[in-house]
């Protein structure tokens, strides 16, 4: 009996016309769309044509100067994302611009969704914000709970291009939008510039089953392109794996697109997993060549340990010590960013070369 080919994947999933239409029409189950069936028929026909012809990026233009292949057709969406990142990098590098802190609310819960109640994580974010702004720092807040409460907010899953070749993982991500599959409204093209512009990152996150919430994990996965990703999709002519592998094997430089930014972490739970979560996030950020603002900037703890969830906000009100720990994280991070800007705090690893970056 012949051995199975373990490197042969599953056949591609191609819907037939009926299944495609059924899935598409589910978006319009509201009776308000009932009088619009003729219009929907036309829209579905156009969508089916895009699907069958795999028009991932229907609007493109020539890459132009500065790319390996100036004549390659690049998605206008990707080019816009790239320009936003370049503009953010210019702000980051401009000494006349205020130093920026990005505070990330890692909780998916909010008063605008099913729970009808804000998260403790959001309260901790708002506790840190005035501390940092009071230090003269500019603040951006990335509230990942908007994924669960806002129309058209999505972070699509990472397709793990880097596992084929680091050179196939483009910076910024070129996997989305994919119009033929309806994979649009991807938030990451707005999130990348927030990270790039920041001099310090503060992540506040609750424990969800020993790990980060789904929304935060989705963002983490999609930031893989910031850690060694290829800034020139024309060098691989899009997603041509063979070209990417050949490019990587010539010697890939693994550009660290977020290197040198400082970070602080607050991980909180109710019974288990806070320390594991804090260490996991710190390892991830350190792997991307971000720099910890110190031990006081990495904190984990429990709010209302083993107490009813129903009284957890009251437990936070009463836990002045944990509130002070959050303030301490913000102050340590802000101090690190200000000292760095003044040339009084240097990366101890500056100038060192990793012999084996991956």
């Amino acid at each position: 009996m012949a051995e199975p080919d373990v490197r042969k994947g599953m056949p591609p999933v191609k819907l037939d016309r009926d299944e495609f239409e059924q899935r598409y029409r589910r978006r319009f189950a509201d009776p308000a769309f009932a009088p619009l069936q003729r219009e929907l028929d036309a829209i579905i026909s156009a969508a089916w044509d895009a699907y069958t012809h795999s028009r991932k990026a229907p609007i493109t233009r020539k890459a132009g100067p500065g790319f390996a292949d100036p004549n390659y057709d690049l998605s206008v969406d990707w080019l816009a994302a790239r320009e936003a990142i370049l503009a953010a990098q210019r702000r980051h590098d401009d000494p006349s611009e205020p130093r920026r802190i990005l505070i990330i609310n890692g909780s998916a819960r909010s008063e605008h969704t099913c729970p009808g109640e804000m998260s403790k994580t959001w309260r901790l974010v708002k506790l840190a914000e005035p501390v940092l702004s009071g230090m003269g720092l500019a603040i951006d807040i990335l509230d990942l709970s908007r994924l669960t409460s806002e129309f058209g907010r999505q972070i699509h899953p990472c397709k793990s291009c880097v596992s084929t070749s680091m050179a196939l993982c483009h910076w910024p991500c070129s996997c989305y939008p994919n119009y033929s599959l309806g994979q649009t409204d991807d938030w990451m093209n707005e999130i990348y510039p927030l990270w790039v512009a920041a001099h310090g990152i503060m992540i506040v996150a609750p424990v969800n089953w020993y790990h980060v919430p789904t929304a935060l994990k989705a963002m983490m996965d999609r930031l893989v392109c910031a850690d060694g990703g290829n800034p020139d999709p024309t060098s691989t002519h899009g997603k041509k794996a063979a070209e990417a592998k050949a490019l990587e094997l010539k010697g890939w430089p693994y550009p660290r697109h977020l290197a040198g930014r400082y970070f602080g972490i607050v991980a909180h739970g109710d019974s288990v997993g806070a320390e594991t979560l804090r260490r996991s996030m710190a390892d991830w950020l350190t792997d991307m060549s971000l720099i910890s603002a110190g031990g006081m900037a990495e904190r984990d703890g429990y709010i209302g340990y083993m107490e009813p969830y129903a009284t957890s906000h009251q437990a936070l009100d009463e836990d002045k010590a944990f509130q002070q720990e959050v303030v301490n994280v913000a102050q340590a991070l802000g101090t690190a960013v200000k000292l760095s800007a003044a040339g009084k705090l240097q990366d101890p690893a500056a100038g060192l070369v990793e012999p084996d970056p991956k």
Side-chain angles (χ1 to χ4, degrees):
M1 179 182 295
E3 291 292 326
D5 185 354
V6 296
R7 300 211 311 175
K8 185 176 182 181
M10 295 291 292
V13 176
K14 297 298 288 185
L15 305 181
D16 61 30
R17 181 66 166 76
D18 289 341
E19 179 64 20
F20 178 88
E21 181 168 344
Q22 287 178 27
R23 293 190 186 187
Y24 206 96
R25 286 190 181 278
R26 286 175 196 148
R27 308 177 187 193
F28 306 99
D30 190 319
F33 291 103
L36 304 173
Q37 293 308 305
R38 181 179 299 176
E39 290 82 356
L40 284 176
D41 288 344
I43 291 170
I44 290 170
S45 293
W48 172 249
D49 184 72
Y51 173 74
T52 54
H53 291 93
S54 300
R55 286 199 297 274
K56 173 189 173 184
I59 305 176
T60 62
R61 70 168 176 81
K62 299 299 181 185
F67 289 93
D69 183 353
N71 291 316
Y72 184 76
D73 293 320
L74 281 176
S75 162
V76 296
D77 297 291
W78 186 88
L79 286 165
R82 173 180 181 267
E83 183 50 46
I85 284 175
L86 292 175
Q89 187 67 54
R90 289 191 291 270
R91 291 196 300 274
H92 175 276
D93 296 342
D94 187 347
S96 68
E97 288 280 335
R99 304 298 88 179
R100 307 196 72 84
I101 303 292
L102 175 61
I103 310 176
I104 298 173
N105 170 33
S107 175
R109 187 165 74 104
S110 82
E111 68 272 33
H112 306 297
T113 60
C114 304
E117 181 178 74
M118 74 171 60
S119 67
K120 296 182 291 297
T121 309
W122 177 252
R123 292 182 59 191
L124 298 177
V125 165
K126 298 303 285 183
L127 186 63
E129 181 185 15
V131 175
L132 290 160
S133 60
M135 299 175 75
L137 298 161
I139 309 300
D140 292 311
I141 294 179
L142 174 57
D143 179 9
L144 292 175
S145 76
R146 291 168 65 187
L147 286 170
T148 62
S149 63
E150 187 176 317
F151 178 81
R153 278 286 170 227
Q154 299 184 65
I155 295 179
H156 293 291
C158 177
K159 297 180 180 178
S160 302
C161 298
V162 67
S163 293
T164 292
S165 169
M166 191 73 245
L168 198 64
C169 182
H170 299 142
W171 168 250
C173 177
S174 65
C175 293
Y176 303 101
N178 185 326
Y179 290 95
S180 68
L181 295 179
Q183 296 170 339
T184 60
D185 298 314
D186 186 64
W187 199 6
M188 289 306 299
N189 282 350
E190 297 176 39
I191 290 175
Y192 292 133
L194 292 174
W195 278 77
V196 172
H199 301 85
I201 311 288
M202 181 172 176
I203 301 178
V204 187
V207 178
N208 280 16
W209 287 118
Y210 288 88
H211 216 293
V212 296
T214 303
L216 180 52
K217 186 59 168 68
M219 182 193 69
M220 291 170 66
D221 286 351
R222 293 288 303 286
L223 277 163
V224 66
C225 58
D227 187 49
N230 182 356
D232 185 356
T234 74
S235 66
T236 57
H237 292 96
K239 293 293 185 177
K240 292 190 176 180
E243 292 186 19
K245 290 181 178 183
L247 192 60
E248 182 181 5
L249 291 174
K250 289 179 181 178
W252 188 249
Y254 290 92
R256 309 287 187 170
H257 301 289
L258 298 175
R261 290 155 178 82
Y262 289 86
F263 71 83
I265 293 170
V266 176
H268 67 91
D270 48 64
S271 59
V272 293
E275 182 179 7
T276 301
L277 177 57
R278 187 257 305 165
R279 288 178 171 177
S280 177
M281 288 195 291
D283 286 348
W284 165 62
L285 290 162
T286 302
D287 270 0
M288 291 201 299
S289 297
L290 278 77
I291 306 166
S292 172
M296 292 292 284
E298 298 181 33
R299 310 306 291 177
D300 60 78
Y302 296 95
I303 300 170
Y305 181 71
M306 298 297 288
E307 295 177 4
Y309 294 108
T311 57
S312 62
H313 277 281
Q314 180 181 341
L316 175 55
D317 291 337
E318 297 170 354
D319 197 338
K320 303 302 182 184
F322 193 78
Q323 292 180 38
Q324 185 59 48
E325 290 206 357
V326 175
V327 169
N328 288 346
V329 170
Q331 289 179 328
L333 176 60
T335 299
V337 168
K338 295 188 74 173
L339 287 173
S340 176
K344 297 179 180 179
L345 184 62
Q346 302 295 324
D347 179 3
L352 300 180
V353 178
E354 291 182 83
D356 189 9
K358 288 289 183 182

